[in-house]
mmCIF file of all heavy atoms in Angstrom:
data_model
loop_
_atom_site.group_PDB
_atom_site.id
_atom_site.type_symbol
_atom_site.label_atom_id
_atom_site.label_comp_id
_atom_site.label_asym_id
_atom_site.label_seq_id
_atom_site.Cartn_x
_atom_site.Cartn_y
_atom_site.Cartn_z
ATOM 1 N N ARG A 628 147.113 -85.012 116.589
ATOM 2 C CA ARG A 628 146.148 -84.772 115.503
ATOM 3 C C ARG A 628 146.137 -85.963 114.567
ATOM 4 O O ARG A 628 147.095 -86.684 114.454
ATOM 5 C CB ARG A 628 146.514 -83.500 114.714
ATOM 6 C CG ARG A 628 146.612 -82.241 115.575
ATOM 7 C CD ARG A 628 147.148 -81.085 114.765
ATOM 8 N NE ARG A 628 147.238 -79.838 115.533
ATOM 9 C CZ ARG A 628 148.292 -79.520 116.279
ATOM 10 N NH1 ARG A 628 149.347 -80.350 116.341
ATOM 11 N NH2 ARG A 628 148.305 -78.386 116.947
ATOM 12 N N MET A 629 145.007 -86.110 113.834
ATOM 13 C CA MET A 629 144.890 -87.284 112.969
ATOM 14 C C MET A 629 145.965 -87.299 111.914
ATOM 15 O O MET A 629 146.550 -88.336 111.616
ATOM 16 C CB MET A 629 143.507 -87.340 112.312
ATOM 17 C CG MET A 629 143.404 -88.459 111.311
ATOM 18 S SD MET A 629 141.711 -88.788 110.728
ATOM 19 C CE MET A 629 141.116 -89.903 111.988
ATOM 20 N N GLY A 630 146.290 -86.140 111.293
ATOM 21 C CA GLY A 630 147.346 -86.106 110.296
ATOM 22 C C GLY A 630 148.666 -86.541 110.827
ATOM 23 O O GLY A 630 149.450 -87.203 110.132
ATOM 24 N N GLU A 631 148.954 -86.201 112.085
ATOM 25 C CA GLU A 631 150.212 -86.609 112.722
ATOM 26 C C GLU A 631 150.227 -88.095 113.000
ATOM 27 O O GLU A 631 151.250 -88.794 112.880
ATOM 28 C CB GLU A 631 150.439 -85.821 114.002
ATOM 29 C CG GLU A 631 150.530 -84.329 113.791
ATOM 30 C CD GLU A 631 150.285 -83.483 115.057
ATOM 31 O OE1 GLU A 631 150.053 -84.125 116.119
ATOM 32 O OE2 GLU A 631 150.360 -82.277 114.980
ATOM 33 N N VAL A 632 149.095 -88.621 113.396
ATOM 34 C CA VAL A 632 148.972 -90.036 113.724
ATOM 35 C C VAL A 632 149.123 -90.911 112.503
ATOM 36 O O VAL A 632 149.791 -91.959 112.516
ATOM 37 C CB VAL A 632 147.623 -90.294 114.448
ATOM 38 C CG1 VAL A 632 147.383 -91.800 114.546
ATOM 39 C CG2 VAL A 632 147.627 -89.672 115.837
ATOM 40 N N LEU A 633 148.490 -90.500 111.404
ATOM 41 C CA LEU A 633 148.480 -91.369 110.215
ATOM 42 C C LEU A 633 149.843 -91.435 109.550
ATOM 43 O O LEU A 633 150.093 -92.326 108.775
ATOM 44 C CB LEU A 633 147.436 -90.832 109.212
ATOM 45 C CG LEU A 633 145.968 -90.882 109.661
ATOM 46 C CD1 LEU A 633 145.067 -90.403 108.568
ATOM 47 C CD2 LEU A 633 145.607 -92.276 110.123
ATOM 48 N N THR A 634 150.732 -90.513 109.864
ATOM 49 C CA THR A 634 152.082 -90.537 109.290
ATOM 50 C C THR A 634 153.121 -91.069 110.281
ATOM 51 O O THR A 634 154.299 -91.082 110.002
ATOM 52 C CB THR A 634 152.503 -89.137 108.820
ATOM 53 O OG1 THR A 634 152.399 -88.196 109.905
ATOM 54 C CG2 THR A 634 151.624 -88.647 107.677
ATOM 55 N N LEU A 635 152.670 -91.458 111.503
ATOM 56 C CA LEU A 635 153.586 -91.954 112.506
ATOM 57 C C LEU A 635 154.261 -93.255 111.988
ATOM 58 O O LEU A 635 153.588 -94.176 111.521
ATOM 59 C CB LEU A 635 152.836 -92.213 113.805
ATOM 60 C CG LEU A 635 153.654 -92.797 114.963
ATOM 61 C CD1 LEU A 635 154.726 -91.819 115.437
ATOM 62 C CD2 LEU A 635 152.723 -93.199 116.130
ATOM 63 N N GLN A 636 155.594 -93.318 112.133
ATOM 64 C CA GLN A 636 156.327 -94.480 111.691
ATOM 65 C C GLN A 636 156.806 -95.281 112.914
ATOM 66 O O GLN A 636 157.095 -94.750 113.980
ATOM 67 C CB GLN A 636 157.574 -94.014 110.910
ATOM 68 C CG GLN A 636 157.251 -93.159 109.716
ATOM 69 C CD GLN A 636 156.665 -93.930 108.552
ATOM 70 O OE1 GLN A 636 157.192 -94.995 108.199
ATOM 71 N NE2 GLN A 636 155.614 -93.412 107.960
ATOM 72 N N TRP A 637 156.930 -96.596 112.710
ATOM 73 C CA TRP A 637 157.396 -97.469 113.801
ATOM 74 C C TRP A 637 158.767 -97.082 114.286
ATOM 75 O O TRP A 637 159.103 -97.259 115.459
ATOM 76 C CB TRP A 637 157.344 -98.916 113.364
ATOM 77 C CG TRP A 637 156.000 -99.550 113.508
ATOM 78 C CD1 TRP A 637 155.175 -99.995 112.535
ATOM 79 C CD2 TRP A 637 155.312 -99.823 114.776
ATOM 80 N NE1 TRP A 637 154.035 -100.510 113.044
ATOM 81 C CE2 TRP A 637 154.081 -100.433 114.426
ATOM 82 C CE3 TRP A 637 155.640 -99.643 116.081
ATOM 83 C CZ2 TRP A 637 153.171 -100.851 115.410
ATOM 84 C CZ3 TRP A 637 154.718 -100.041 117.073
ATOM 85 C CH2 TRP A 637 153.509 -100.634 116.732
ATOM 86 N N ARG A 638 159.627 -96.560 113.415
ATOM 87 C CA ARG A 638 160.968 -96.176 113.841
ATOM 88 C C ARG A 638 160.967 -95.040 114.833
ATOM 89 O O ARG A 638 161.969 -94.799 115.525
ATOM 90 C CB ARG A 638 161.810 -95.809 112.619
ATOM 91 C CG ARG A 638 161.354 -94.557 111.870
ATOM 92 C CD ARG A 638 162.314 -94.155 110.770
ATOM 93 N NE ARG A 638 161.837 -93.000 110.036
ATOM 94 C CZ ARG A 638 161.136 -93.054 108.923
ATOM 95 N NH1 ARG A 638 160.799 -94.240 108.424
ATOM 96 N NH2 ARG A 638 160.739 -91.950 108.298
ATOM 97 N N ASP A 639 159.820 -94.346 114.929
ATOM 98 C CA ASP A 639 159.709 -93.198 115.864
ATOM 99 C C ASP A 639 158.973 -93.607 117.142
ATOM 100 O O ASP A 639 158.564 -92.723 117.918
ATOM 101 C CB ASP A 639 159.014 -92.031 115.207
ATOM 102 C CG ASP A 639 159.837 -91.397 114.106
ATOM 103 O OD1 ASP A 639 161.066 -91.347 114.285
ATOM 104 O OD2 ASP A 639 159.259 -90.972 113.074
ATOM 105 N N VAL A 640 158.745 -94.885 117.346
ATOM 106 C CA VAL A 640 158.033 -95.378 118.539
ATOM 107 C C VAL A 640 158.995 -96.221 119.394
ATOM 108 O O VAL A 640 159.626 -97.136 118.880
ATOM 109 C CB VAL A 640 156.807 -96.211 118.139
ATOM 110 C CG1 VAL A 640 156.095 -96.783 119.369
ATOM 111 C CG2 VAL A 640 155.834 -95.338 117.321
ATOM 112 N N ASP A 641 159.045 -95.914 120.657
ATOM 113 C CA ASP A 641 159.865 -96.666 121.617
ATOM 114 C C ASP A 641 158.914 -97.227 122.700
ATOM 115 O O ASP A 641 158.628 -96.526 123.673
ATOM 116 C CB ASP A 641 160.932 -95.755 122.234
ATOM 117 C CG ASP A 641 161.842 -96.500 123.190
ATOM 118 O OD1 ASP A 641 161.575 -97.705 123.480
ATOM 119 O OD2 ASP A 641 162.808 -95.899 123.685
ATOM 120 N N LEU A 642 158.458 -98.443 122.499
ATOM 121 C CA LEU A 642 157.486 -99.021 123.419
ATOM 122 C C LEU A 642 158.132 -99.363 124.779
ATOM 123 O O LEU A 642 157.490 -99.296 125.805
ATOM 124 C CB LEU A 642 156.876 -100.299 122.820
ATOM 125 C CG LEU A 642 156.009 -100.081 121.578
ATOM 126 C CD1 LEU A 642 155.444 -101.395 121.085
ATOM 127 C CD2 LEU A 642 154.846 -99.123 121.914
ATOM 128 N N ASP A 643 159.408 -99.735 124.748
ATOM 129 C CA ASP A 643 160.084 -100.074 126.015
ATOM 130 C C ASP A 643 160.162 -98.917 126.985
ATOM 131 O O ASP A 643 160.079 -99.107 128.213
ATOM 132 C CB ASP A 643 161.484 -100.624 125.740
ATOM 133 C CG ASP A 643 161.487 -101.953 124.989
ATOM 134 O OD1 ASP A 643 160.474 -102.677 125.152
ATOM 135 O OD2 ASP A 643 162.431 -102.239 124.256
ATOM 136 N N HIS A 644 160.319 -97.716 126.451
ATOM 137 C CA HIS A 644 160.415 -96.531 127.323
ATOM 138 C C HIS A 644 159.143 -95.666 127.251
ATOM 139 O O HIS A 644 159.098 -94.574 127.833
ATOM 140 C CB HIS A 644 161.648 -95.674 126.916
ATOM 141 C CG HIS A 644 162.932 -96.401 127.096
ATOM 142 N ND1 HIS A 644 163.520 -97.161 126.094
ATOM 143 C CD2 HIS A 644 163.713 -96.552 128.199
ATOM 144 C CE1 HIS A 644 164.641 -97.703 126.548
ATOM 145 N NE2 HIS A 644 164.797 -97.333 127.828
ATOM 146 N N GLY A 645 158.121 -96.132 126.526
ATOM 147 C CA GLY A 645 156.865 -95.407 126.469
ATOM 148 C C GLY A 645 156.948 -94.037 125.852
ATOM 149 O O GLY A 645 156.466 -93.060 126.446
ATOM 150 N N ARG A 646 157.555 -93.951 124.655
ATOM 151 C CA ARG A 646 157.690 -92.644 123.983
ATOM 152 C C ARG A 646 157.491 -92.767 122.481
ATOM 153 O O ARG A 646 157.696 -93.847 121.915
ATOM 154 C CB ARG A 646 159.051 -92.031 124.278
ATOM 155 C CG ARG A 646 159.227 -91.546 125.716
ATOM 156 C CD ARG A 646 160.424 -90.660 125.865
ATOM 157 N NE ARG A 646 160.364 -89.886 127.104
ATOM 158 C CZ ARG A 646 161.200 -88.907 127.420
ATOM 159 N NH1 ARG A 646 162.147 -88.553 126.536
ATOM 160 N NH2 ARG A 646 161.083 -88.234 128.528
ATOM 161 N N ALA A 647 157.063 -91.666 121.886
ATOM 162 C CA ALA A 647 156.930 -91.620 120.445
ATOM 163 C C ALA A 647 157.236 -90.198 119.968
ATOM 164 O O ALA A 647 157.021 -89.224 120.697
ATOM 165 C CB ALA A 647 155.496 -91.995 120.010
ATOM 166 N N VAL A 648 157.755 -90.074 118.763
ATOM 167 C CA VAL A 648 158.069 -88.778 118.179
ATOM 168 C C VAL A 648 157.141 -88.523 117.015
ATOM 169 O O VAL A 648 157.043 -89.331 116.074
ATOM 170 C CB VAL A 648 159.550 -88.762 117.669
ATOM 171 C CG1 VAL A 648 159.824 -87.396 117.017
ATOM 172 C CG2 VAL A 648 160.504 -88.976 118.789
ATOM 173 N N LEU A 649 156.415 -87.412 117.093
ATOM 174 C CA LEU A 649 155.543 -86.997 116.021
ATOM 175 C C LEU A 649 156.332 -86.009 115.161
ATOM 176 O O LEU A 649 156.829 -84.980 115.644
ATOM 177 C CB LEU A 649 154.289 -86.317 116.549
ATOM 178 C CG LEU A 649 153.417 -87.185 117.492
ATOM 179 C CD1 LEU A 649 152.226 -86.373 118.029
ATOM 180 C CD2 LEU A 649 152.909 -88.411 116.744
ATOM 181 N N ARG A 650 156.474 -86.307 113.864
ATOM 182 C CA ARG A 650 157.300 -85.512 112.973
ATOM 183 C C ARG A 650 156.514 -84.392 112.290
ATOM 184 O O ARG A 650 155.364 -84.582 111.886
ATOM 185 C CB ARG A 650 157.912 -86.392 111.907
ATOM 186 C CG ARG A 650 158.750 -87.552 112.439
ATOM 187 C CD ARG A 650 160.075 -87.069 113.015
ATOM 188 N NE ARG A 650 160.882 -88.175 113.513
ATOM 189 C CZ ARG A 650 162.050 -88.026 114.060
ATOM 190 N NH1 ARG A 650 162.552 -86.809 114.195
ATOM 191 N NH2 ARG A 650 162.728 -89.077 114.529
ATOM 192 N N ASP A 651 157.144 -83.248 112.149
ATOM 193 C CA ASP A 651 156.587 -82.104 111.408
ATOM 194 C C ASP A 651 155.189 -81.759 111.876
ATOM 195 O O ASP A 651 154.231 -81.633 111.076
ATOM 196 C CB ASP A 651 156.542 -82.448 109.895
ATOM 197 C CG ASP A 651 157.921 -82.602 109.334
ATOM 198 O OD1 ASP A 651 158.856 -81.916 109.775
ATOM 199 O OD2 ASP A 651 158.078 -83.444 108.418
ATOM 200 N N VAL A 652 155.022 -81.582 113.183
ATOM 201 C CA VAL A 652 153.707 -81.255 113.706
ATOM 202 C C VAL A 652 153.389 -79.774 113.404
ATOM 203 O O VAL A 652 154.248 -78.941 113.182
ATOM 204 C CB VAL A 652 153.643 -81.492 115.223
ATOM 205 C CG1 VAL A 652 153.897 -82.950 115.534
ATOM 206 C CG2 VAL A 652 154.595 -80.587 115.989
ATOM 207 N N LYS A 653 152.118 -79.479 113.441
ATOM 208 C CA LYS A 653 151.628 -78.141 113.152
ATOM 209 C C LYS A 653 152.108 -77.166 114.219
ATOM 210 O O LYS A 653 152.108 -77.428 115.417
ATOM 211 C CB LYS A 653 150.096 -78.138 113.140
ATOM 212 C CG LYS A 653 149.428 -76.776 112.865
ATOM 213 C CD LYS A 653 147.925 -76.936 112.902
ATOM 214 C CE LYS A 653 147.218 -75.619 112.728
ATOM 215 N NZ LYS A 653 145.747 -75.774 112.832
ATOM 216 N N ALA A 654 152.538 -75.963 113.769
ATOM 217 C CA ALA A 654 152.973 -74.917 114.698
ATOM 218 C C ALA A 654 152.609 -73.545 114.098
ATOM 219 O O ALA A 654 152.072 -73.482 112.982
ATOM 220 C CB ALA A 654 154.465 -75.004 114.964
ATOM 221 N N GLN A 655 152.928 -72.494 114.808
ATOM 222 C CA GLN A 655 152.561 -71.153 114.332
ATOM 223 C C GLN A 655 153.447 -70.691 113.218
ATOM 224 O O GLN A 655 154.606 -71.123 113.067
ATOM 225 C CB GLN A 655 152.669 -70.165 115.496
ATOM 226 C CG GLN A 655 151.441 -70.092 116.346
ATOM 227 C CD GLN A 655 151.443 -68.871 117.254
ATOM 228 O OE1 GLN A 655 152.475 -68.429 117.719
ATOM 229 N NE2 GLN A 655 150.268 -68.301 117.431
ATOM 230 N N HIS A 656 152.943 -69.773 112.404
ATOM 231 C CA HIS A 656 153.676 -69.075 111.333
ATOM 232 C C HIS A 656 154.271 -70.029 110.325
ATOM 233 O O HIS A 656 155.342 -69.766 109.735
ATOM 234 C CB HIS A 656 154.781 -68.235 111.934
ATOM 235 C CG HIS A 656 154.308 -67.288 113.010
ATOM 236 N ND1 HIS A 656 153.286 -66.383 112.779
ATOM 237 C CD2 HIS A 656 154.681 -67.120 114.303
ATOM 238 C CE1 HIS A 656 153.024 -65.698 113.883
ATOM 239 N NE2 HIS A 656 153.865 -66.122 114.827
ATOM 240 N N GLY A 657 153.626 -71.166 110.087
ATOM 241 C CA GLY A 657 154.076 -72.112 109.073
ATOM 242 C C GLY A 657 155.328 -72.927 109.489
ATOM 243 O O GLY A 657 155.773 -73.738 108.705
ATOM 244 N N VAL A 658 155.841 -72.726 110.682
ATOM 245 C CA VAL A 658 156.993 -73.493 111.138
ATOM 246 C C VAL A 658 156.544 -74.841 111.665
ATOM 247 O O VAL A 658 155.604 -74.923 112.442
ATOM 248 C CB VAL A 658 157.752 -72.746 112.247
ATOM 249 C CG1 VAL A 658 158.947 -73.565 112.763
ATOM 250 C CG2 VAL A 658 158.212 -71.393 111.762
ATOM 251 N N ARG A 659 157.203 -75.897 111.194
ATOM 252 C CA ARG A 659 156.833 -77.253 111.655
ATOM 253 C C ARG A 659 158.007 -77.834 112.415
ATOM 254 O O ARG A 659 159.166 -77.599 112.090
ATOM 255 C CB ARG A 659 156.449 -78.099 110.474
ATOM 256 C CG ARG A 659 155.323 -77.497 109.611
ATOM 257 C CD ARG A 659 154.848 -78.426 108.486
ATOM 258 N NE ARG A 659 153.982 -79.436 108.993
ATOM 259 C CZ ARG A 659 152.687 -79.295 109.174
ATOM 260 N NH1 ARG A 659 152.103 -78.125 108.907
ATOM 261 N NH2 ARG A 659 151.926 -80.261 109.645
ATOM 262 N N ARG A 660 157.706 -78.635 113.433
ATOM 263 C CA ARG A 660 158.755 -79.171 114.283
ATOM 264 C C ARG A 660 158.323 -80.548 114.761
ATOM 265 O O ARG A 660 157.200 -81.000 114.531
ATOM 266 C CB ARG A 660 159.012 -78.247 115.455
ATOM 267 C CG ARG A 660 157.790 -77.880 116.291
ATOM 268 C CD ARG A 660 158.159 -77.014 117.452
ATOM 269 N NE ARG A 660 157.009 -76.630 118.270
ATOM 270 C CZ ARG A 660 156.480 -75.403 118.259
ATOM 271 N NH1 ARG A 660 157.010 -74.464 117.522
ATOM 272 N NH2 ARG A 660 155.420 -75.132 119.003
ATOM 273 N N ASN A 661 159.233 -81.223 115.447
ATOM 274 C CA ASN A 661 158.955 -82.547 116.009
ATOM 275 C C ASN A 661 158.453 -82.428 117.452
ATOM 276 O O ASN A 661 158.836 -81.471 118.162
ATOM 277 C CB ASN A 661 160.203 -83.418 115.983
ATOM 278 C CG ASN A 661 160.694 -83.671 114.579
ATOM 279 O OD1 ASN A 661 159.952 -83.588 113.620
ATOM 280 N ND2 ASN A 661 161.979 -83.951 114.442
ATOM 281 N N ARG A 662 157.644 -83.358 117.854
ATOM 282 C CA ARG A 662 157.071 -83.331 119.210
ATOM 283 C C ARG A 662 157.263 -84.704 119.857
ATOM 284 O O ARG A 662 156.887 -85.726 119.306
ATOM 285 C CB ARG A 662 155.589 -82.981 119.190
ATOM 286 C CG ARG A 662 154.898 -83.074 120.528
ATOM 287 C CD ARG A 662 153.387 -82.952 120.395
ATOM 288 N NE ARG A 662 152.703 -83.425 121.583
ATOM 289 C CZ ARG A 662 151.437 -83.849 121.613
ATOM 290 N NH1 ARG A 662 150.735 -83.860 120.501
ATOM 291 N NH2 ARG A 662 150.913 -84.237 122.740
ATOM 292 N N LEU A 663 157.885 -84.721 121.018
ATOM 293 C CA LEU A 663 158.073 -85.966 121.794
ATOM 294 C C LEU A 663 156.900 -86.185 122.703
ATOM 295 O O LEU A 663 156.511 -85.306 123.508
ATOM 296 C CB LEU A 663 159.382 -85.869 122.604
ATOM 297 C CG LEU A 663 159.740 -87.074 123.483
ATOM 298 C CD1 LEU A 663 159.979 -88.299 122.612
ATOM 299 C CD2 LEU A 663 160.909 -86.760 124.346
ATOM 300 N N CYS A 664 156.282 -87.371 122.619
ATOM 301 C CA CYS A 664 155.130 -87.719 123.435
ATOM 302 C C CYS A 664 155.428 -88.842 124.386
ATOM 303 O O CYS A 664 156.056 -89.842 124.024
ATOM 304 C CB CYS A 664 153.949 -88.183 122.545
ATOM 305 S SG CYS A 664 153.326 -86.984 121.413
ATOM 306 N N ASP A 665 155.026 -88.678 125.663
ATOM 307 C CA ASP A 665 155.032 -89.766 126.587
ATOM 308 C C ASP A 665 153.794 -90.623 126.426
ATOM 309 O O ASP A 665 152.687 -90.081 126.300
ATOM 310 C CB ASP A 665 155.106 -89.222 128.044
ATOM 311 C CG ASP A 665 156.445 -88.595 128.355
ATOM 312 O OD1 ASP A 665 157.467 -89.122 127.930
ATOM 313 O OD2 ASP A 665 156.460 -87.533 129.030
ATOM 314 N N LEU A 666 153.985 -91.921 126.399
ATOM 315 C CA LEU A 666 152.878 -92.839 126.140
ATOM 316 C C LEU A 666 152.406 -93.462 127.438
ATOM 317 O O LEU A 666 153.140 -94.207 128.084
ATOM 318 C CB LEU A 666 153.275 -93.951 125.166
ATOM 319 C CG LEU A 666 153.822 -93.485 123.792
ATOM 320 C CD1 LEU A 666 154.164 -94.684 122.951
ATOM 321 C CD2 LEU A 666 152.777 -92.591 123.071
ATOM 322 N N PRO A 667 151.173 -93.200 127.845
ATOM 323 C CA PRO A 667 150.592 -93.874 129.026
ATOM 324 C C PRO A 667 150.504 -95.375 128.762
ATOM 325 O O PRO A 667 150.528 -95.824 127.608
ATOM 326 C CB PRO A 667 149.235 -93.235 129.206
ATOM 327 C CG PRO A 667 149.311 -91.956 128.459
ATOM 328 C CD PRO A 667 150.243 -92.225 127.300
ATOM 329 N N PRO A 668 150.335 -96.191 129.810
ATOM 330 C CA PRO A 668 150.244 -97.635 129.621
ATOM 331 C C PRO A 668 149.195 -98.088 128.615
ATOM 332 O O PRO A 668 149.425 -99.066 127.873
ATOM 333 C CB PRO A 668 149.898 -98.149 131.026
ATOM 334 C CG PRO A 668 150.501 -97.101 131.939
ATOM 335 C CD PRO A 668 150.302 -95.793 131.223
ATOM 336 N N ALA A 669 148.046 -97.408 128.577
ATOM 337 C CA ALA A 669 147.007 -97.823 127.621
ATOM 338 C C ALA A 669 147.474 -97.686 126.170
ATOM 339 O O ALA A 669 147.170 -98.522 125.329
ATOM 340 C CB ALA A 669 145.733 -96.960 127.847
#
């Protein structure tokens, strides 16, 4: 989501292994959690 992208920090991005962590993403019942994303080559 845009809100998750705009708060993404470089410390949560691993370009060598193609991964990023989105912090405090939206979830049900007001609970927020982290989400690990696999990054395609693009």
Side-chain angles (χ1 to χ4, degrees):
R628 302 173 180 86
M629 175 168 274
E631 298 162 0
V632 168
L633 296 183
T634 56
L635 178 65
Q636 303 286 314
W637 276 113
R638 64 174 178 268
D639 292 323
V640 177
D641 182 354
L642 293 180
D643 292 334
H644 298 92
R646 289 194 163 189
V648 178
L649 302 176
R650 302 287 181 182
D651 296 325
V652 300
K653 179 182 177 182
Q655 274 195 324
H656 308 304
V658 178
R659 305 185 79 84
R660 54 178 179 252
N661 298 336
R662 174 189 164 204
L663 179 64
C664 297
D665 289 321
L666 303 180

